[in-house]
Amino acid sequence: MEAESKKEFWSWGKSLVVAVLVAFLVRQFLFTPVIVSGESMEPTFHDNNRVVISKISSLDHFDKIVFHAPNAKEDFIKRVIGLPGDTIRMENDVLTINGKEYPEKYLDSNKEALPEGQNLTQDFEVIVPEGQLFVMGDNRTNSMDSRIFGSIEEDSVVGKVKFRFYPFTEMGNPK
């Protein structure tokens, strides 16, 4: 009986070690949870939202990403506006990428809260250097982003937001 107990104990022990190792590898190289800090992505994300990011996803315009912020110790969450080589232009709150206008529906509620005649985003034009991304927060009046610190290195990206798991009432793929 004692030999059987030892055998079962070692079996459970090996299973536990394998499970912990798999969880570590998945978190380190594939997916990881992140807590949103601050208001820069409102209304898409709010302070203390919990999201899962993928560390292996390719990036495209308007993806939400987490990256190592330049000149800061923390990571930021922003929206990719420009990819390497893109010409980004903002004029009268109309975003143009490489000569094509893109509606930013995710900004509608922020625009509605502005006083009459005021723009949410100041006018600018920039060409995104190779190997870099141009990122902006959805809360344009309260976001430290590429308009302030410039384009970010593609290598600084931690991952792409794939899923919000908290608050439970907003669980799912954030738009």
Side-chain angles (χ1 to χ4, degrees), residues 3-59:
E4 243 181 73
S5 294
K6 280 185 180 181
K7 191 175 181 181
E8 187 170 339
F9 174 77
W10 284 113
S11 176
W12 277 100
K14 287 188 278 186
S15 297
L16 184 61
V17 168
V18 168
V20 168
L21 182 62
V22 168
F24 172 78
L25 291 173
V26 166
R27 183 175 173 147
Q28 194 68 27
F29 298 108
L30 300 177
F31 298 99
T32 193
V34 173
I35 299 173
V36 175
S37 177
E39 303 169 346
S40 70
M41 281 297 289
E42 288 182 358
T44 306
F45 298 112
H46 297 277
D47 193 37
N48 290 318
N49 279 185
R50 276 34 171 207
V51 298
V52 173
I53 60 170
S54 167
K55 295 183 174 188
I56 58 171
S57 296
S58 60
L59 299 179

Side-chain angles (χ1 to χ4, degrees), residues 16-154:
L16 184 61
V17 168
V18 168
V20 168
L21 182 62
V22 168
F24 172 78
L25 291 173
V26 166
R27 183 175 173 147
Q28 194 68 27
F29 298 108
L30 300 177
F31 298 99
T32 193
V34 173
I35 299 173
V36 175
S37 177
E39 303 169 346
S40 70
M41 281 297 289
E42 288 182 358
T44 306
F45 298 112
H46 297 277
D47 193 37
N48 290 318
N49 279 185
R50 276 34 171 207
V51 298
V52 173
I53 60 170
S54 167
K55 295 183 174 188
I56 58 171
S57 296
S58 60
L59 299 179
D60 203 359
H61 294 106
F62 309 109
D63 286 342
K64 282 96 40 209
I65 62 168
V66 173
F67 61 95
H68 302 304
N71 304 322
K73 292 190 188 290
E74 64 265 331
D75 291 342
F76 284 0
I77 183 170
K78 304 290 180 201
R79 191 179 292 270
V80 175
I81 301 298
L83 300 172
D86 283 348
T87 299
I88 308 298
R89 184 174 181 199
M90 181 66 73
E91 186 173 4
N92 295 322
D93 268 349
V94 176
L95 173 65
T96 306
I97 303 172
N98 299 324
K100 182 179 177 193
E101 288 185 10
Y102 288 87
E104 295 180 282
K105 296 287 184 195
Y106 50 87
L107 298 179
D108 287 350
S109 63
N110 287 349
K111 288 180 180 180
E112 290 169 5
L114 290 172
E116 183 79 26
Q118 185 176 339
N119 287 338
L120 185 63
T121 312
Q122 72 275 18
D123 294 350
F124 67 88
E125 186 168 339
V126 65
I127 298 173
V128 183
E130 288 302 317
Q132 298 190 357
L133 302 167
F134 191 86
V135 296
M136 288 197 292
D138 291 355
N139 188 357
R140 301 283 167 81
T141 58
N142 188 20
S143 178
M144 181 177 288
D145 52 38
S146 289
R147 297 170 296 161
I148 297 168
F149 51 68
S151 298
I152 64 164
E153 297 290 331
E154 285 182 296

